Amino acid sequence: MAIVGGLDIHRKQLTFDYADTETGEVRTGRITPADRAHLADWLRGRFSGRDEVTFAVEACTGWRYVAEEFATAGVGVLLAEPADTAAARGPKRRAKTDRADARLLRDLVAEQRVPACWVPPVRALEDRALLELYQDLRREHTAWVQRVHAVLFHQGAEPPGVEVGGEAGRARLAELVTRLSPAGQVQVATALRMLQAEEDELAAVRRRLEAEARYLRGARLLADELYGVGPVTALALTCWLGGADRFTSSRQAVRFAGLDVTVYSSDGKRSPGHLSRQGPPVLRWCLFEAGKTYARTTAPDHAYYAQVKDRLGGKQATLATARKIVRQASHLLTALGDDAFAPALPRPRRAAPPQAA
């Protein structure tokens, strides 16, 4: 390599540290403001026409546009896993600074010890963003429903089991609102307008997610093969677990999803069976919802769910089935490799039934 370097990403500035391995010259500094245009100008001014230039950046918020600009400029980029990068630093002997982080990344590139993580294709990044938006809308929708229930309960107008959704629920709610104070009526009316707007947005985003799930080969395969995995969950599994050589075992996929149980230590106060909760929250949310479907008596593995539920409770049973879904999905996606993000093959048409003479 002629030039090796590290780039520390922050919202206000990008701190760089790179060295020429042939001359030994080291350069450090900052790129401000930290946006795509200024980074592109800096790359053109420094490395235009240069070969064998490699930088490392941590996989934190903002890495996407940085990696895209490096690729456009013809500069090699390695995406470093943040936790493993921090472990490579060793015991902290002095204050941690942006310059120290950039220097560490440069040293890891020079020593070929960068704990590189997988760089998803653009389509997977776009679908991840839509999935995160969908989860945000669902959370906000739930929050507004809870606000309505809180107002009704606070003013003594809510009977047990009142529903906010659906035509019957909205009709019953309109009757209950008349028992509220003027401010309470404004609160509920505002909440209902927000709920309607969020339901419209949820429907639009879900249509896009379902179209993507039908398009990607991996998502369609998971939706067809795995019980309880719908289009949204199948798309989330494909976007976060798909790709060639992602995991050497299904156990690593479970750990990546944050569904593995951490080791219980006697000096802590948390209960045993605590989840690590590392990894993408959207994927964990989808898997938990998929795991709930095994509570149905018609589920293919309901006996396992019932056995765990009798022993540990419904939540632990749901998590256990969610882990099984991850393992099964990991095996299917590993077999597909990078073809998981390829367009799905058209479904074979069923032969028309013979017509009576």
Side-chain angles (χ1 to χ4, degrees), residues 198-278:
E198 288 178 351
E199 288 170 3
D200 294 341
E201 296 296 333
L202 276 168
V205 175
R206 187 176 180 88
R207 284 194 296 268
R208 294 193 60 174
L209 293 175
E210 291 175 348
E212 283 294 304
R214 289 191 298 268
Y215 177 82
L216 293 183
R217 186 177 301 179
R220 182 185 291 187
L221 175 65
L222 296 182
D224 292 342
E225 296 292 332
L226 300 181
Y227 180 86
V229 174
V232 176
T233 304
L235 185 62
L237 286 166
T238 303
C239 290
W240 271 287
L241 302 183
D245 303 325
R246 287 294 315 281
F247 306 102
T248 58
S249 67
S250 59
R251 182 179 298 179
Q252 288 186 352
V254 173
R255 185 178 304 117
F256 173 82
L259 293 174
D260 59 324
V261 178
T262 57
V263 177
Y264 175 73
S265 54
S266 59
D267 60 341
K269 294 184 179 180
R270 62 176 175 80
S271 59
H274 182 79
L275 295 182
S276 66
R277 296 185 182 275
Q278 296 178 350

Side-chain angles (χ1 to χ4, degrees), residues 47-68:
F47 308 111
S48 180
R50 297 292 300 269
D51 296 328
E52 298 184 3
V53 181
T54 304
F55 273 73
V57 298
E58 286 190 81
C60 55
T61 303
W63 72 263
R64 178 178 176 177
Y65 85 90
V66 172
E68 290 174 351

Side-chain angles (χ1 to χ4, degrees), residues 147-162:
R147 291 186 184 104
V148 171
H149 284 292
V151 172
L152 293 175
F153 175 71
H154 187 56
Q155 299 199 20
E158 178 184 12
V162 65

Side-chain angles (χ1 to χ4, degrees), residues 21-319:
T21 57
E22 297 177 357
T23 64
E25 181 184 7
V26 177
R27 293 192 177 184
T28 62
R30 290 179 175 178
I31 305 170
T32 53
D35 57 22
R36 187 183 291 269
H38 286 80
L39 176 60
D41 292 340
W42 181 80
L43 289 170
R44 283 194 297 268
R46 303 250 178 167
F47 308 111
S48 180
R50 297 292 300 269
D51 296 328
E52 298 184 3
V53 181
T54 304
F55 273 73
V57 298
E58 286 190 81
C60 55
T61 303
W63 72 263
R64 178 178 176 177
Y65 85 90
V66 172
E68 290 174 351
E69 288 303 320
F70 271 99
T72 301
V75 176
V77 59
L78 298 175
L79 198 60
E81 208 284 327
D84 293 339
T85 302
R89 181 181 295 107
K92 187 167 59 175
R93 297 182 177 86
R94 57 183 61 88
K96 179 178 175 292
T97 63
D98 296 348
R99 290 186 177 182
D101 290 342
R103 188 184 310 116
L104 172 64
L105 290 170
R106 183 200 71 191
D107 293 340
L108 292 176
V109 176
E111 299 168 5
Q112 298 183 2
R113 295 193 302 116
V114 177
C117 56
W118 182 65
V119 180
V122 175
R123 194 173 197 102
L125 291 174
E126 291 291 293
D127 291 340
R128 286 182 180 184
L130 289 177
L131 287 163
E132 290 167 353
L133 172 62
Y134 185 73
Q135 186 192 28
D136 291 340
L137 289 172
R138 286 288 300 269
R139 284 178 172 174
E140 285 296 319
H141 186 275
T142 302
W144 279 109
V145 171
Q146 292 172 343
R147 291 186 184 104
V148 171
H149 284 292
V151 172
L152 293 175
F153 175 71
H154 187 56
Q155 299 199 20
E158 178 184 12
V162 65
E163 294 290 337
V164 176
E167 294 183 1
R170 295 291 172 88
R172 176 61 176 158
L173 186 61
E175 178 185 351
L176 295 175
V177 167
T178 59
R179 308 176 188 176
L180 301 177
S181 67
Q185 295 180 12
V186 173
Q187 285 180 294
V188 173
T190 302
L192 291 178
R193 289 195 297 270
M194 296 298 296
L195 285 171
Q196 185 59 53
E198 288 178 351
E199 288 170 3
D200 294 341
E201 296 296 333
L202 276 168
V205 175
R206 187 176 180 88
R207 284 194 296 268
R208 294 193 60 174
L209 293 175
E210 291 175 348
E212 283 294 304
R214 289 191 298 268
Y215 177 82
L216 293 183
R217 186 177 301 179
R220 182 185 291 187
L221 175 65
L222 296 182
D224 292 342
E225 296 292 332
L226 300 181
Y227 180 86
V229 174
V232 176
T233 304
L235 185 62
L237 286 166
T238 303
C239 290
W240 271 287
L241 302 183
D245 303 325
R246 287 294 315 281
F247 306 102
T248 58
S249 67
S250 59
R251 182 179 298 179
Q252 288 186 352
V254 173
R255 185 178 304 117
F256 173 82
L259 293 174
D260 59 324
V261 178
T262 57
V263 177
Y264 175 73
S265 54
S266 59
D267 60 341
K269 294 184 179 180
R270 62 176 175 80
S271 59
H274 182 79
L275 295 182
S276 66
R277 296 185 182 275
Q278 296 178 350
V282 180
L283 178 60
R284 204 158 45 249
W285 168 63
C286 291
L287 287 169
F288 191 82
E289 294 297 323
K292 289 181 179 178
T293 61
Y294 283 80
R296 303 168 185 167
T297 56
T298 56
D301 209 3
H302 173 71
Y304 173 75
Y305 176 92
Q307 179 184 4
V308 178
K309 181 180 178 181
D310 293 340
R311 188 163 51 93
L312 300 174
K315 182 177 180 180
Q316 294 299 326
T318 301
L319 292 173

